[in-house]
Amino acid sequence: MASSAPIFYDDVLRVVQLLILLIALILETVAFVHCLTQRGAAFQALGTLPKGAWAAIIGICALLTYWGSSALGIFGLIGIAAALIYLLDVRPGLRDIADGKGFW
């Protein structure tokens, strides 16, 4: 009894890692495309990083996640964090500025 893990353990691990990779790439791509379609002045009005900085951070991390084929590597985790910060913090602020309602 050398191993107590089921025979299909490696297959399940590969499928789970592939799903995490796909979710990470979709998340980073959505954040990157949304960033590219916004006006640069809105980022300044919001008081956050400039549009180019957000696009570079998310885009480079998305490429490194794709080339490294690992969402659980250092660049994958940084890319997921940057995309989530952009989508959950910056995007609502940009939407409020575009609507003309302000932050309240």
Side-chain angles (χ1 to χ4, degrees):
M1 184 175 221
S3 174
S4 62
I7 297 172
F8 57 88
Y9 170 78
D10 291 332
D11 296 330
V12 172
L13 183 64
R14 256 184 258 119
V15 169
V16 169
Q17 287 177 344
L18 180 64
L19 287 175
I20 293 172
L21 176 65
L22 289 175
I23 290 169
L25 288 174
I26 290 170
L27 181 72
E28 291 171 2
T29 303
V30 167
F32 182 68
V33 169
H34 186 272
C35 181
L36 292 180
T37 59
Q38 300 302 308
R39 296 180 314 195
F43 288 88
Q44 291 176 352
L46 188 59
T48 183
L49 291 174
K51 176 182 177 176
W54 278 112
I57 291 168
I58 296 170
I60 290 171
C61 286
L63 285 176
L64 292 174
T65 300
Y66 176 72
W67 282 334
S69 296
S70 173
L72 301 176
I74 186 71
F75 292 113
L77 293 175
I78 291 171
I80 291 170
L84 285 174
I85 290 169
Y86 177 82
L87 290 174
L88 297 176
D89 185 35
V90 177
R91 182 176 169 258
L94 293 173
R95 185 177 54 226
D96 289 341
I97 289 173
D99 290 343
K101 297 177 183 172
F103 294 108
W104 305 102

